[in-house]
Amino acid sequence: SARLGEDQPLFGLSVPYKGPGSGTRSLEQLVVDYAEEVTRRHPDGPLVLTAVSAGSIVALELARHLLAGGRVVRLVLFDASGPDSAAITPDRATRLAVHADRLRHDRLDYLTPRVVWQTQKLKRRWEQVQLRLRSGDAEELPDVLVNRQYVENNLQFLAEYDASPYPDDVLILKAADDA
């Protein structure tokens, strides 16, 4: 950021609701908290907000909030998914046909990483079960479960997100499907 100069300040925002006792916050509260922090660090002038993946929804709503306050805000989003992203996802039969074809051709080279991934997925599910069983005792949860709770809280408020059009241009950069 030093190379950009004082006329182009660059800073990152960390997640304020992470850790024992942080509780669940709404998307609206997160946006208000981020807006206060952005305004504290850069009280006036134009902004470029960037975000990755699900954080793009937070950035979109933060930009909308700052625009309402009179700020000029541009958005650059990386691997953002919108509310209709499921509509472009292939159906189960198509996905299974692709997997079967790859398995026929690549055999173990194709199968091994998927077995590893499924094993990791089962481990994450077990961690979620542990988290739910111990949810009343967040002070004693291991970091991995505290992080899992944070992710689940965010997924919950993102699932309830009701999108509306953004009044300005948005640049969205997506990785290729084969990346």
Side-chain angles (χ1 to χ4, degrees):
S1 73
R3 290 186 178 175
L4 291 175
E6 290 183 24
D7 63 330
Q8 298 181 58
L10 173 70
F11 57 90
L13 298 173
S14 61
V15 179
Y17 311 129
K18 192 172 179 180
S22 65
T24 302
R25 303 299 199 286
S26 67
L27 176 60
E28 293 79 15
Q29 186 59 51
L30 182 60
V31 166
V32 167
D33 291 348
Y34 278 158
E36 288 173 0
E37 183 64 16
V38 167
T39 302
R40 184 183 72 76
R41 291 175 182 240
H42 190 60
D44 52 27
L47 296 165
V48 177
L49 296 179
T50 64
V52 177
S53 191
S56 296
I57 292 174
V58 178
L60 176 72
E61 290 306 316
L62 175 57
R64 192 184 313 276
H65 182 89
L66 293 166
L67 276 172
R71 299 294 295 268
V72 174
V73 182
R74 299 287 184 246
L75 277 171
V76 179
L77 307 177
F78 297 91
D79 284 336
S81 294
D84 293 332
S85 61
I88 61 171
T89 301
D91 62 32
R92 176 173 264 187
T94 302
R95 292 191 320 265
L96 286 174
V98 168
H99 286 299
D101 187 55
R102 289 182 179 168
L103 183 57
R104 260 193 310 277
H105 290 94
D106 299 333
R107 302 189 193 288
L108 286 178
D109 288 339
Y110 179 73
L111 189 59
T112 302
R114 273 139 195 88
V115 169
V116 170
W117 181 80
Q118 288 294 335
T119 303
Q120 292 170 342
K121 185 174 165 184
L122 286 171
K123 181 181 175 191
R124 286 190 301 271
R125 284 188 180 161
W126 173 242
E127 290 169 353
Q128 290 172 344
V129 168
Q130 288 177 310
L131 175 64
R132 288 187 183 108
L133 292 173
R134 298 169 63 187
S135 63
D137 195 12
E139 292 294 332
E140 296 183 23
L141 290 175
D143 285 346
V144 67
L145 294 181
V146 170
N147 290 339
R148 176 69 53 205
Q149 184 176 32
Y150 160 76
V151 168
E152 286 184 12
N153 290 344
N154 284 338
L155 291 175
Q156 179 63 36
F157 73 66
L158 292 175
E160 297 167 358
Y161 177 68
D162 186 21
S164 61
Y166 184 70
D168 205 346
D169 293 335
V170 178
L171 175 61
I172 300 175
L173 304 169
K174 297 278 289 177
D177 288 337
D178 60 351

